[in-house]
Amino acid sequence: MNLELNISSKVPTNQSNSVPLLGLGVWKSRPKECYEAVQAALELGYRHIDTAAIYGNEKEVGAAIKDSGIKRTDIFLVTKLWNADQGYEEALKAIDVSLQKLGTDYVDMYLIHFPVSGKRKDSWKALEKSKMDGKAKSIGVSNFMVSHLEDLLKESSIVPAMNQVEYHPFLQDTSLKEYCQKKGILLEAYSPLAHGQKLEDERLTTLAKKYNKSNAQILIRWSLQSGNVVIPKSKNPTRIRENADVFGFTISPEDMIEITSWNENFRTCWDPTTVE
Ligand SMILES: NC(=O)c1ccc[n+]([C@@H]2O[C@H](COP(=O)([O-])OP(=O)(O)OC[C@H]3O[C@@H](n4cnc5c(N)ncnc54)[C@H](OP(=O)(O)O)[C@@H]3O)[C@@H](O)[C@H]2O)c1
């Protein structure tokens, strides 16, 4: 990984577009907060926004993008197919509903939110069609473990561009990461701040002091230097700024190894490992 990154740095996907390495997550941002957060992020130079149908804020994400005056083509917009909408026909309808709420003709990445048993392959076929129809520039998955990816790849004509999974120093599925790398699937780290639940970790505080950075900045920088695309969420403009101020320093190789040793399978979100 080239360490000379900045807020506009992108990484190519396996499907012809490129994704900005840093994005803003908007899960749990209420509509008004979400509008303001996206507006603040775009002003600061973020060009990647991660929402989902189930977050209930696609309309505000779309409005903030439109009102920003930034060209739609300069923004990487991600949304996701919710579980209740999985299945071929249902998924085709769901993307249209999302596009309408977002006020756009296409998303840059459409993800299957969760590997729902018995449905995910039909959903994937619908995503393939949405890509062919130009409604999604790239398509990918979220919360897919190695077994789900193997199962999908057996029958699909398109390899997912991205797998968005929970990933931070306290939860690292390295075999999943290696598998994704081998297949050319980008790993996108969601809940990179462990949903705010590990920010008080003393080892993290010690390192943050050493680099004169905040605990959150160390976690985000670790993710970037580990080669992940990363989407910290904040509804607070000061923190949105702080979370993007991670490009002017480098964590040393020794400290990267130290942080990487903190894995304790600490999962803050839902657990896809037991899904058949
Ligand atoms: N695909 C999936 O299943 C899935 C699941 C979970 C998340 N995601 C995506 O990933 C994004 C990020 O994950 P996440 O929202 O779970 O958690 P996160 O980004 O790890 O942490 C967010 C929490 O940390 C706080 N925070 C943010 N910046 C901070 C800072 N600089 N200092 C102190 N606290 C800070 C936020 O509070 P404030 O907002 O008050 O600042 C919020 O409580 C989501 O928003 C969503 O887009 C996807």
Side-chain angles (χ1 to χ4, degrees):
M1 165 78 47
N2 170 17
L3 301 181
E4 299 299 316
L5 304 171
N6 60 59
I7 196 168
S8 328
S9 297
K10 293 180 181 180
V11 61
T13 71
N14 62 17
Q15 294 176 28
S16 82
N17 60 357
S18 294
V19 52
L21 284 166
L22 178 75
L24 176 77
V26 298
W27 180 35
K28 293 190 179 169
S29 291
R30 291 192 205 98
K32 184 169 175 288
E33 290 170 352
C34 177
Y35 177 86
E36 289 167 3
V38 174
Q39 202 174 36
L42 292 175
E43 265 172 36
L44 286 162
Y46 283 74
R47 290 294 178 267
H48 170 181
I49 309 293
D50 182 84
T51 185
I54 193 65
Y55 299 170
N57 53 24
E58 287 175 312
K59 196 164 145 255
E60 287 70 24
V61 168
I65 289 176
K66 199 156 272 176
D67 295 349
S68 73
I70 297 166
K71 277 203 311 217
R72 173 66 189 86
T73 48
D74 289 344
I75 295 172
F76 195 93
L77 177 58
V78 183
T79 196
K80 313 185 192 85
L81 173 70
W82 183 235
N83 298 354
D85 296 323
Q86 289 220 21
Y88 185 75
E89 295 299 336
E90 296 87 336
L92 289 179
K93 278 188 207 133
I95 188 165
D96 284 342
V97 173
S98 282
L99 291 178
Q100 203 212 351
K101 288 187 181 161
L102 289 162
T104 183
D105 297 337
Y106 70 94
V107 285
D108 298 276
M109 182 76 69
Y110 195 56
L111 303 176
I112 296 184
H113 208 141
F114 196 79
V116 174
S117 296
K119 296 256 182 150
R120 56 183 183 254
K121 288 189 194 168
D122 289 337
S123 301
W124 186 249
K125 290 197 170 70
L127 265 65
E128 290 181 335
K129 176 161 170 36
S130 301
K131 179 173 162 52
M132 279 182 323
D133 293 345
K135 294 177 182 178
K137 299 275 182 213
S138 281
I139 54 174
V141 295
S142 177
N143 294 299
F144 274 50
M145 302 290 103
V146 172
S147 60
H148 309 131
L149 287 168
E150 279 174 340
D151 188 37
L152 189 76
L153 290 178
K154 265 189 237 152
E155 288 177 32
S156 59
S157 52
I158 301 178
V159 176
M162 177 182 272
N163 187 15
Q164 184 185 107
V165 293
E166 181 170 350
Y167 214 95
H168 44 71
F170 312 96
L171 177 67
Q172 304 169 56
D173 184 344
T174 49
S175 52
L176 175 64
K177 185 166 170 163
E178 280 162 22
Y179 183 85
C180 288
Q181 271 166 349
K182 205 167 71 193
K183 298 288 176 188
I185 302 169
L186 290 175
L187 189 135
E188 181 168 62
Y190 79 62
S191 305
L193 308 177
H195 207 61
Q197 292 174 24
K198 286 284 189 181
L199 286 168
E200 310 301 322
D201 186 283
E202 277 179 22
R203 297 163 298 181
L204 181 58
T205 303
T206 304
L207 275 182
K209 282 195 185 126
K210 173 175 168 182
Y211 287 92
N212 200 20
K213 287 284 167 185
S214 72
N215 294 25
Q217 286 170 326
I218 296 292
L219 292 178
I220 296 166
R221 182 71 202 184
W222 174 85
S223 221
L224 290 168
Q225 283 185 222
S226 304
N228 305 333
V229 179
V230 61
I231 47 169
K233 173 262 176 183
S234 181
K235 59 178 173 352
N236 173 325
T238 307
R239 287 176 173 176
I240 291 171
R241 177 188 293 277
E242 175 186 324
N243 294 347
D245 181 15
V246 289
F247 297 104
F249 77 111
T250 303
I251 300 174
S252 71
E254 300 73 31
D255 289 335
M256 283 299 290
I257 291 169
E258 159 66 15
I259 300 170
T260 305
S261 75
W262 297 348
N263 184 26
E264 53 181 74
N265 295 320
F266 178 77
R267 197 177 286 281
T268 69
C269 201
W270 45 1
D271 183 359
T273 59
T274 54
V275 177
E276 201 187 314

